Amino acid sequence: MEKDGINIPLHFLGDQLEFPPVEMASSDGLLAVGGDLSPERLLLAYKNGIFPWFNEDALILWWSPDPRMVLFPQKVKVSKSMRKVMRSQQFSLTQNQCFEQVLDYCAQVERKDQEGTWITPNMKSAYMELFQRGIARSLEVWQENTLVGGLYGVDLGHVFCGESMFSLTSNASKFAFVKLAEECLVKNYKLIDCQVHTPHLESLGAELISRSDFMTHLKG
């Protein structure tokens, strides 16, 4: 792979629980290939600013992009129309009540400009294991007694690493995201890691920062 015009060898992971320095990532953020999805490796990855992202029937790919999309909780943007939604009580929120359902919906709900899903059966099993260990968690959005939106991610105690969210009705995922930001602000979390840029996340206040700045917040 190439970094700053210089060809560097792609790092293949073996059985040893380790990752190369994130500065070794390619220009598109690819850091390493292979390894496994054990809870220990996943937790090590997130603690070091690395996350898995790959297609079904492909090798595990590990990423650490530069720049990094993040939300500082105090900078969440809530539009006037969204404030009305937040006050309307049309939605209610629970946490960790149906993690597996949230995971399944995140895998199944179609998204614009996205073919298929990266939440493979092996990936699902890995995050279910993290959930059982109290490391991964979910926020669920309900309309009456129906699950209509939510998100999940890995909680490091000072940084929430968002993985995916879904919405079956207008504003449901935004509701979950805003509620997450409010909680993180109260608990003095440094940021919510959104990984890569999307217009939707930007509209909610997320911004791009350098990987080095991200690592400072993550390690601080």
Side-chain angles (χ1 to χ4, degrees), residues 17 19 36-48 50-52 54 60 62 122-123 125-130 135 154 156 163:
L17 202 59
F19 286 99
D36 56 46
L37 295 173
S38 68
E40 292 76 18
R41 189 182 295 274
L42 281 170
L43 188 56
L44 178 66
Y46 284 105
K47 285 182 175 180
N48 285 279
I50 303 162
F51 59 87
F54 58 100
I60 301 172
W62 301 91
N122 286 341
M123 186 71 86
S125 296
Y127 284 96
M128 286 298 298
E129 179 74 20
L130 287 181
I135 299 168
V154 174
L156 299 179
E163 276 300 315

Side-chain angles (χ1 to χ4, degrees), residues 6 14 21 37-38 70 73 91 103 118 134 144 174 177 194 198 201 203 209 213:
I6 301 173
L37 295 173
S38 68
V70 306
F91 296 132
L103 205 63
W118 62 272
E144 296 182 350
K174 286 183 181 179
F177 191 77
C194 303
T198 69
L201 289 168
S203 72
I209 64 173
D213 283 349

Side-chain angles (χ1 to χ4, degrees), residues 29-220:
L30 180 59
L31 178 66
V33 176
D36 56 46
L37 295 173
S38 68
E40 292 76 18
R41 189 182 295 274
L42 281 170
L43 188 56
L44 178 66
Y46 284 105
K47 285 182 175 180
N48 285 279
I50 303 162
F51 59 87
W53 189 21
F54 58 100
N55 294 323
E56 195 168 4
D57 300 324
L59 290 172
I60 301 172
L61 304 179
W62 301 91
W63 302 82
S64 184
D66 186 13
R68 187 85 165 215
M69 194 73 169
V70 306
L71 174 78
F72 295 101
Q74 68 273 22
K75 292 186 178 181
V76 65
K77 291 181 181 178
V78 186
S79 65
K80 288 184 178 179
S81 60
M82 192 62 205
R83 290 185 190 279
K84 290 182 180 179
V85 170
M86 302 295 290
R87 292 194 301 263
S88 69
Q89 298 185 335
Q90 70 180 86
F91 296 132
S92 59
L93 186 80
T94 59
Q95 295 196 32
N96 302 325
Q97 296 303 302
C98 46
F99 182 87
E100 186 172 8
Q101 283 180 267
V102 171
L103 205 63
D104 287 341
Y105 272 124
C106 286
Q108 296 165 7
V109 173
E110 293 185 2
R111 293 172 175 80
K112 184 180 179 181
D113 301 325
Q114 178 178 314
E115 295 182 5
T117 178
W118 62 272
I119 306 175
T120 65
N122 286 341
M123 186 71 86
K124 176 182 173 179
S125 296
Y127 284 96
M128 286 298 298
E129 179 74 20
L130 287 181
F131 173 68
Q132 290 160 8
R133 296 189 182 197
I135 299 168
R137 64 187 183 98
S138 62
L139 276 67
E140 305 95 17
V141 180
W142 303 85
Q143 196 164 38
E144 296 182 350
N145 294 318
T146 302
L147 181 64
V148 294
L151 60 80
Y152 79 96
V154 174
D155 195 332
L156 299 179
H158 67 302
V159 169
F160 184 88
C161 305
E163 276 300 315
S164 188
M165 55 186 177
F166 79 95
S167 186
L168 301 181
T169 190
S170 180
N171 295 316
S173 62
K174 286 183 181 179
F175 182 86
F177 191 77
V178 172
K179 286 293 188 180
L180 173 65
E182 290 175 349
E183 178 186 343
C184 287
L185 183 60
V186 170
K187 293 182 176 179
N188 294 316
Y189 277 47
K190 298 199 171 188
L191 52 81
I192 298 169
D193 176 24
C194 303
Q195 300 177 349
V196 295
H197 175 273
T198 69
H200 177 62
L201 289 168
E202 185 177 6
S203 72
L204 292 168
E207 61 190 274
L208 289 168
I209 64 173
S210 69
R211 182 170 54 215
S212 61
D213 283 349
F214 172 75
M215 294 303 294
T216 298
H217 289 293
L218 185 64
K219 297 292 187 180

